[in-house]
Amino acid sequence: MAKTNDLFKTLRKRGLRKSVARAVADAEGGGKKSAAIARDVLADLDKAEDAIRARITNRDSRRRAATKAATTRKRNAAKRSEASKRAAKTRRARSRAR
């Protein structure tokens, strides 16, 4: 139990969620599903590592995406503004015609 508690505390300090840390610590003691649980946790951590690496090390692609999004927002704002101006012009013309 002491070894399990030590592993649990270590995993929690490293930032693992409590339920995951508890599952891995309990799996250390052995049991039918312990290897499967450990493999699942390791696979999830590998996926998380890949996601972190993709976001941190590939900043150029993120920057390009942000620039494209900003351009799109600007273009859509210009469309809305133009439509608003046309509508105001139409309302003005109709109110004068009465």
Side-chain angles (χ1 to χ4, degrees):
M1 187 67 173
K3 285 175 97 177
T4 303
N5 240 357
D6 290 344
L7 179 61
F8 174 76
K9 288 179 182 179
T10 303
L11 293 174
R12 288 290 291 149
K13 284 181 185 176
R14 297 284 182 186
L16 242 59
R17 288 178 177 259
K18 190 181 284 187
S19 59
V20 175
R22 176 63 59 207
V24 172
D26 290 344
E28 183 188 26
K32 288 183 180 179
K33 296 182 181 179
S34 63
I37 290 172
R39 275 194 302 273
D40 289 345
V41 169
L42 288 173
D44 289 344
L45 290 174
D46 285 340
K47 288 178 188 173
E49 177 191 13
D50 292 341
I52 291 168
R53 284 189 193 281
R55 285 186 175 255
I56 303 268
T57 59
N58 294 335
R59 287 196 179 270
D60 293 337
S61 63
R62 300 279 301 157
R63 184 173 288 136
R64 267 184 277 140
T67 304
K68 181 180 176 186
T71 304
T72 302
R73 285 192 301 271
K74 189 175 182 180
R75 183 175 52 245
N76 290 341
K79 280 187 203 174
R80 283 193 309 273
S81 177
E82 185 60 33
S84 175
K85 288 176 186 175
R86 278 195 317 267
K89 188 176 180 181
T90 302
R91 283 192 303 272
R92 206 173 19 243
R94 286 185 180 169
S95 69
R96 287 182 187 161
R98 290 182 184 178

